[in-house]
Amino acid sequence: MVVLVATTAFAACGGDDNDDKTPAVSELSLSTTSIVFTKDGGTQTVSAQSAQQVTARSSADWLTVSVGTMSSALKVTPVTVVAAPNTTTAERTATVTIAAGTTTKTVAVSQAKGDEPVVEPTPEPQPTAEITATARDLARLMYPGWNLGNTMEPPVNGLNAETSWQPTKTTQQIIDYVAQQGFKSVRIPCSWNIHADADGHIDAQWTARVKEVVDYCIKAGLYVVLNDHWDNGWIETNGFSDLSEANVAAKADRLKTLWTQIATAFRDYGDHLLLAGLNEPNCDSQQKTDALLRYEQAFIDAVRATGGNNAQRTLIVQGPSTDIEKTDQYYDVTRLNDTAADRLMVEVHFYTPWNLCGMEKDESWGKMFYYWGQGNHLTGSSHNATWGEESDLKKLFQRMKQKFVDRGYPVYIGEYGCQWRDVSKQSGESQAQHDQSVKLFHKTVNEQAVTMGMVPVVWDINAASQGGTRGIMTVLNRATLTVFCQPAMDGITEGVAAATWPY
């Protein structure tokens, strides 16, 4: 809009016609000392009255000024002020300085803030037209892997489950940081039965939240393994403590009900998503393994029946107790019937030796291992490993390679890790030697697993305290987006770099 100049402001008072109507040379009068623009900007005019030549300048790039021609009668010079549209989200101000001779005056200019930016919602991952990658194709793209541990699996009903065992809600930034460390896949341990009613209907809000977390991973370019994890032991324990036909059939039916819903929710996702039926089924005999195979067949049938990309999606089945020796002894994956060819992986976990990996205090039957691997034993310490070192690790992995990998079934080491302890206050112990042991353990697991065609996935519970000699299995601090256990992270990185995928 244009600021109109009130002519009365500059009109001469009545008097003798011979009076001098021209303003004094040193005078400068402005029609206004402030201007307000809308967010869209525009043009306004300030009238400057002076017998001297008028100049003007602006203090801001977004505000321009130009000086017009002085009127001969009233000595009024128009100063045009032009504001550009405000594309920022803050109100902005500037000053126009107008001068005539040695006299200067200012006009304060303000402009309303611009519109808030429109935040487009993150698009749903687009499904591929079809899934063409086999299990073997995917395995070579998924190492090293990382567990979103103690997060989506606590047996707590409702969305608060996510932070009931650890403090940090999962975000895109966290998953991006995981990818930046060199991880290629994320395993999402997840409870489902605890979020379902008596008829097995899963809470829709829980499914939506799980999908958000899966989407974070896929957006970061990571592969995802989603399972039914522990879930208060409804099937992993209770499905094997009672092997009656009635109990096994009932558990298989409910598992099928759950996985039908889960698979339907993720049916259109591409081959960056893999599904795993269970976690650590409590099997220690052939009879229990027979029941396990029935449960896994129910899982496979449920997923395949939902159609779409699930008809060809790679699925992961678990060996008894996900224990390498029990899996080698009892488990025959060829007993499972799958309508999709070459779309199965076999899962085991690796926490050997337990004295290093899981013990939290010395016991009557054995002590915690602080030191593991060649060159890392400490003279005089009673906490050196006495079994389960490099040669034993290689022998166990070799058994999985021969039984599964060499027959076309990739092996997925869904969990591994060891306790990182603070032994610095223990007399006669060495923190540096312990740290080297932790690093070597992770390096050896990754190097040997990858070399034999297996996918290693480190366990991580996001507890940023070693807890003294008890130790902790945390690699990344999700709250601060930093590496918590540098020895473990270095071992993973070096182990992968030293390995060569076998096919």
Side-chain angles (χ1 to χ4, degrees), residues 10 14 22 37 55 122 139 164 198 223 325 355 381 483 495:
F10 299 122
T22 303
F37 285 100
T55 61
T122 301
S164 63
Y223 289 86
E325 293 179 297
N355 308 59
S381 174
V483 174

Side-chain angles (χ1 to χ4, degrees), residues 115-341:
D115 295 328
E116 294 290 333
V118 177
V119 179
E120 297 293 337
T122 301
E124 289 284 327
Q126 295 300 308
T128 56
E130 60 180 344
I131 290 182
T132 58
T134 66
R136 282 167 59 88
D137 293 333
L138 294 177
R140 65 184 300 153
L141 303 174
M142 293 172 61
Y143 68 87
W146 176 83
N147 269 279
L148 185 69
N150 279 16
T151 305
M152 307 305 289
E153 77 270 31
V156 177
N157 196 12
L159 297 179
N160 289 336
E162 184 174 354
T163 52
S164 63
W165 282 2
Q166 59 81 41
T168 312
K169 186 175 180 180
T170 308
T171 64
Q172 184 68 62
Q173 289 73 27
I174 289 173
I175 299 302
D176 289 345
Y177 183 75
V178 172
Q180 290 165 12
Q181 306 318 301
F183 292 105
K184 303 302 182 185
S185 63
V186 172
R187 179 174 179 256
I188 303 178
C190 190
S191 287
W192 296 98
N193 189 62
I194 196 72
H195 298 281
D197 62 20
D199 295 324
H201 298 131
I202 301 170
D203 177 64
Q205 286 187 312
W206 180 250
T207 300
R209 176 56 184 158
V210 175
K211 288 186 75 173
E212 283 182 339
V213 176
V214 171
D215 291 350
Y216 296 155
C217 299
I218 294 176
K219 185 176 180 180
L222 299 168
Y223 289 86
V224 183
V225 173
L226 181 64
N227 74 356
D228 182 20
H229 192 101
W230 171 235
D231 223 352
N232 217 23
W234 80 272
I235 189 169
E236 291 192 5
T237 297
N238 299 339
F240 301 96
S241 58
D242 177 3
L243 295 179
S244 67
E245 175 58 28
N247 186 60
V248 172
K251 290 292 191 292
D253 285 345
R254 188 168 179 92
L255 187 68
K256 196 168 185 177
T257 296
L258 295 175
W259 273 110
T260 296
Q261 296 170 79
I262 301 166
T264 299
F266 291 96
R267 176 168 49 205
D268 294 332
Y269 281 63
D271 52 17
H272 270 66
L273 175 66
L274 297 80
L275 302 177
L278 299 169
N279 170 45
E280 292 179 347
N282 190 19
C283 298
D284 56 6
S285 68
Q286 189 61 59
Q287 184 183 17
K288 291 181 179 180
T289 302
D290 292 342
L292 170 62
L293 289 166
R294 286 185 61 178
Y295 297 144
E296 292 180 337
Q297 189 64 61
F299 157 67
I300 293 170
D301 292 346
V303 174
R304 297 294 183 228
T306 61
N309 282 346
N310 287 333
Q312 293 294 315
R313 188 177 309 284
T314 290
L315 306 179
I316 302 178
V317 292
Q318 292 66 45
S321 299
T322 54
D323 176 83
I324 288 179
E325 293 179 297
K326 293 183 179 70
T327 300
D328 187 36
Q329 182 177 359
Y330 300 122
Y331 194 72
D332 182 1
V333 69
T334 65
R335 290 175 58 185
L336 294 170
N337 297 314
D338 189 7
T339 54

Side-chain angles (χ1 to χ4, degrees), residues 377-451:
H377 286 205
L378 185 67
T379 301
S381 174
S382 61
H383 292 281
N384 291 313
T386 57
W387 66 283
E389 295 185 276
E390 294 100 324
S391 61
D392 291 333
L393 181 153
K394 293 176 185 178
K395 290 175 184 177
L396 289 170
F397 283 14
Q398 190 68 35
R399 289 166 71 171
M400 293 295 93
K401 179 181 183 296
Q402 292 172 350
K403 183 159 187 172
F404 300 111
V405 177
D406 291 348
R407 299 177 183 180
Y409 297 95
V411 170
Y412 182 74
I413 305 178
E415 295 179 21
Y416 76 89
C418 70
Q419 298 291 91
W420 185 39
R421 313 172 194 273
D422 181 359
V423 301
S424 61
K425 298 180 178 62
Q426 304 301 304
S427 177
E429 308 295 351
S430 168
Q431 186 66 46
Q433 288 293 94
H434 172 66
D435 290 351
Q436 283 298 317
S437 299
V438 171
K439 177 181 176 180
L440 181 61
F441 176 82
H442 286 81
K443 180 179 186 292
T444 306
V445 169
N446 280 270
E447 182 176 359
Q448 294 303 316
V450 172
T451 299

